[in-house]
Amino acid sequence: MKKELTRQQYLDLYYYMRLNRAVEEMMVKLFRQNKIVGGLYSSLGQEAISVGTAYALEKKDWLAPMIRNIGALLVKGVRPRDVFMQHMAKYDSPTKGKDGTSHFGDLDNLHIVSPISMLGDLIPVMTGVAMAGRYLGQRIVAMTWIGDGGSSTGVFHEGLNFAAVQKAPFVLILENNLWAYSTPVRKQVPLENLADRAKAYGIESYIVDGNNVLAMYSTAKEAVEQARAGEGPILIEAKTFRRMGHAQHDPAEYVPKEMRAYWEARDPIALYEKFLTGENLLDAKGRKEIEEKINTLLAKERDFAENSPLPPPEFAETGVYCTGDDCHKIRAKWERPIAEVTPPRSSVEAVWTVPGFGSGKGSGGAHAPIHFGDTQPAETKPAEAGKSAVQAPAKAAAKKTVKAVPASASRKARR
Amino acid sequence: MPGTNGSAPSGTQVTFLEAIKQAMFEEMERDPAVILMGEDVGVYGGAFKTSEGILERFGWERVIDTPISESAMIGAACGMSYLGLRPIVEMQFIDFIVCAFNQITNFVAKGHYLWNAPAPMVVRGPSGGGVHGGPFHSANPEMYFVHTPGLKVIYPSTPYDAKGLLKAAVRDNNPVLFFEHKFLYRRIKGELPAGDYTVPIGKAVVRRQGKHLTIISYAAMTHTSLEAGEALAKEGIEAEVVDLRTLLPLDEETILNSVKKTNKCLVVHEDTKTGGIAGEIAAILCEKAFGDLDGPLMRVTSLDTPVPYAPTLEEYFLPNAKKIFSAAKELARY
């Protein structure tokens, strides 16, 4: 591991990993006390992924967590009490008891989109977030996570393909934790590296040691900046292991003992502590201080959560529809001149040619008009002279044709 | 058409399709947050040319030709709506909307209820039969979505309503599904007022006044019901024809007012019988107007089969004025 962050950044990563684990440990206790209403999922051993990747985002960026990304939520600014209350179905929780687990979001402040249980759906949704951000001139990046199992869904393909053709500023973290419930990755995907899926979409990919928080962070940081620069979506495969069962009820006896032992010896927090100690960034005293800070915080947060009531029954009937401006004032936040996307500047002349198309004999020569045009910016002529208002997707797509990334080259992660 | 509200004398005659196109143009002109996305909507102008000229007017960023990925485009529209955009998504044929069923019913529809996230977006496309499109280009899949709280479902019958309701849908803060009966696209014309107007979502309209029975219908079958109404009048039966216009939320008030007046109700829809809106209307009448009914609720609908291809089969499958006439006569005898 190479030193390249500030001391505070190194310690932030440590703090959030410890906080992630402590929040989940506390929820296991609450679960055993029957205070958790539904299921409880664990990200034990995968904290480096949630924390390292979310830490690469800026405040204005958007993320959508999956079930094992509580760490990402904490990094983005979600309070532990909200995580507790969600699981306990409390009225003060972000969804006021209408949904549980990490199924909550915050459009206005933290820029978090709530997941649903159907896997993969977030991929097109976050593609849309990324496209809208680009359209509005916000220069944001959208990030979400998916598992090895979730990468088998149709919407994973539809979403990533759409993101790729649109060159959307979108980063997808594929957490390959080797198990989708009881199904091993070998039965899920016939690939050694799930990052290879990126080849099908002509996008860049990385393979990272998911138990190395610094590798996760630096790779995600690079990917986020690439995406922000308009280079299109990026897929990062994080290789890791799901240490607990699918949820609390599942003892995961189907996992081979040797596999579990191998990964338990590679605990991401223990590995990072070793690094921090070696670099003189953390000593026993500093560690104790962080532990105490977390313990004090979580005791307070848990008490708040426990004291929150369940929602009143009739609350079930409310909120199906937005009732208008009193309910939500929906306003797009423009950070570019609106004139760029309104006529006459938005107007384009309809000339549909593809360079090189039909240049052979009898075809009408190069630049022969065709019915279904390519969106090459050379043919995009604004009605008014001046800068093209329509450069974002089209120009980016043309500037750099699809870059094929061989599997070996995709191993860009710093270890 | 009798009862069409708001037809301004100064307006021009336009087709149903042109009315939809006008609504999209005007909304995109009015609000830069409105964008259009779908298969072949840009360069080609849409499979039915509903969006012809929109790309040339509004440009690549606002008119997006997508891959053949209904889940991706509806998911992306939802994400866009979270940043305050108001996307219109075209299904090339509304049959294909079920490819995105999960995205619509689980992601889009539930967001406001679960986490207070409104998704102002419109999914629209050509629906319905009668044009020999076969089993996958003729569907009326509206009831899958009427059963989904959080959505609004519109199915207009006139150019005036199509334009006004589509504009209302774009401005609504909720996800709205907008069904365009393709049989009407170029067959039905109407006068449109010159200026901006909307038609309220969730309000039915009485298209024909009558006293002997109420025929409740929507979309293309409204016209068929009116045709039957004229034939019935010749036999001394005055049928009141109600056009629902919006299926979700359903305008119970207009339904109840009419049936309390005529005491008899026939529901006509092109959707198949089992699970169609007629069953829901029957339940509402039983709950709220049981004492007012002088006869059984009757229904004329398509058969409980897929939409068949051959003209002979499709004509047999669909409701028509003759079938409505017979059922209405039988009902009038009570």
Side-chain angles (χ1 to χ4, degrees), chain A residues 4-37:
Chain A
E4 51 194 22
L5 303 181
T6 65
R7 181 189 162 81
Q8 190 55 50
Q9 286 174 316
Y10 281 116
L11 292 177
D12 277 355
L13 289 171
Y14 180 66
Y15 171 77
Y16 282 117
M17 282 208 288
R18 291 294 303 259
L19 183 65
N20 182 358
R21 185 164 293 183
V23 162
E24 293 190 21
E25 282 169 353
M26 187 164 274
M27 286 201 293
V28 171
K29 283 183 198 151
L30 292 167
F31 184 86
R32 289 179 182 153
Q33 295 165 4
N34 280 326
K35 288 174 181 167
I36 302 272
V37 171

Side-chain angles (χ1 to χ4, degrees), chain A residues 65-82:
Chain A
M66 288 281 289
I67 201 81
R68 302 186 206 282
N69 297 117
I70 284 170
L73 293 175
L74 296 169
V75 170
K76 200 82 170 78
V78 168
R79 297 171 302 181
R81 68 175 64 172
D82 287 337

Side-chain angles (χ1 to χ4, degrees), chain A residues 353-364:
Chain A
T353 64
V354 178
F357 175 87
S359 54
K361 200 180 163 194
S363 66

Side-chain angles (χ1 to χ4, degrees), chain A residues 27-337:
Chain A
M27 286 201 293
V28 171
K29 283 183 198 151
L30 292 167
F31 184 86
R32 289 179 182 153
Q33 295 165 4
N34 280 326
K35 288 174 181 167
I36 302 272
V37 171
L40 179 63
Y41 303 81
S42 166
S43 72
L44 181 67
Q46 297 176 231
E47 296 92 340
I49 302 169
S50 290
V51 170
T53 51
Y55 197 69
L57 294 173
E58 291 180 15
K59 193 170 183 291
K60 66 180 178 182
D61 292 334
W62 287 65
L63 65 74
M66 288 281 289
I67 201 81
R68 302 186 206 282
N69 297 117
I70 284 170
L73 293 175
L74 296 169
V75 170
K76 200 82 170 78
V78 168
R79 297 171 302 181
R81 68 175 64 172
D82 287 337
V83 177
F84 295 149
M85 289 190 295
Q86 275 290 118
H87 285 79
M88 297 162 89
K90 298 295 191 146
Y91 195 35
D92 297 309
S93 80
T95 62
K96 302 188 188 299
K98 284 177 173 172
D99 202 351
T101 64
S102 60
H103 290 193
F104 63 98
D106 178 356
L107 295 180
D108 297 327
N109 301 309
L110 299 179
H111 297 167
I112 296 168
V113 172
S114 174
I116 65 170
S117 298
M118 292 72 190
L119 299 177
D121 278 4
L122 281 168
I123 296 171
V125 171
M126 296 310 280
T127 297
V129 165
M131 288 168 68
R134 177 173 63 189
Y135 178 63
L136 295 166
Q138 295 178 352
R139 292 186 54 75
I140 55 160
V141 172
M143 179 184 279
T144 191
W145 293 259
I146 191 76
D148 40 299
S151 80
S152 301
T153 60
V155 78
F156 172 95
H157 166 74
E158 284 198 16
L160 203 48
N161 182 64
F162 189 40
V165 295
Q166 282 290 324
K167 290 256 167 187
F170 169 59
V171 177
L172 178 60
I173 316 296
L174 200 168
E175 294 191 62
N176 181 359
N177 67 14
L178 304 177
W179 296 91
Y181 213 139
S182 72
T183 306
V185 66
R186 282 282 177 277
K187 285 190 181 172
Q188 195 72 240
V189 189
L191 291 171
E192 174 69 26
N193 296 313
L194 303 197
D196 287 353
R197 285 197 182 286
K199 284 186 200 169
Y201 315 109
I203 63 172
E204 283 214 53
S205 64
Y206 296 83
I207 296 171
V208 194
D209 174 358
N211 288 29
N212 179 338
V213 72
L214 291 180
M216 281 315 310
Y217 167 73
S218 59
T219 309
K221 184 84 183 156
E222 202 174 312
V224 164
E225 291 324 314
Q226 263 177 272
R228 201 186 306 282
E231 292 174 33
I234 289 135
L235 176 67
I236 299 175
E237 179 189 0
K239 293 197 184 282
T240 187
F241 172 73
R242 194 194 72 206
R243 297 245 295 264
M244 302 293 283
H246 174 65
Q248 276 291 316
H249 65 272
D250 171 22
E253 282 156 351
Y254 42 80
V255 174
K257 280 196 182 71
E258 307 73 36
M259 181 186 270
R260 184 183 300 286
Y262 171 84
W263 286 96
E264 278 174 356
R266 304 188 68 259
D267 180 76
I269 295 181
L271 286 175
Y272 192 47
E273 273 176 357
K274 208 172 150 193
F275 166 83
L276 292 175
T277 311
E279 299 286 338
N280 291 322
L281 290 160
L282 186 72
D283 55 16
K285 185 169 160 269
R287 198 178 134 172
K288 197 156 176 271
E289 275 171 16
I290 288 172
E291 273 167 16
E292 277 169 6
K293 184 179 164 190
I294 289 173
N295 290 341
T296 311
L297 171 70
L298 292 193
K300 223 170 67 190
E301 297 285 283
R302 180 202 55 209
D303 290 348
F304 184 95
E306 292 206 46
N307 288 327
S308 173
L310 288 172
E314 62 278 10
F315 183 64
E317 263 191 312
T318 63
V320 174
Y321 292 96
C322 174
T323 50
D325 260 15
D326 295 343
C327 185
H328 285 95
K329 279 192 175 42
I330 297 173
R331 303 276 182 273
K333 213 174 128 213
W334 291 90
E335 290 182 15
R336 65 187 285 197

Side-chain angles (χ1 to χ4, degrees), chain B residues 28-72:
Chain B
M28 289 181 75
E29 205 79 51
R30 184 186 59 81
D31 183 357
V34 180
I35 63 121
L36 174 67
M37 186 158 52
E39 293 153 16
D40 311 305
V41 295
V43 173
Y44 195 67
F48 286 84
K49 301 293 176 192
T50 320
S51 54
E52 195 166 37
I54 285 192
L55 174 66
E56 290 82 342
R57 181 79 180 140
F58 298 101
W60 298 111
E61 284 195 82
R62 296 183 65 184
V63 182
I64 301 166
D65 277 326
T66 68
I68 303 174
S69 304
E70 283 78 13
S71 285

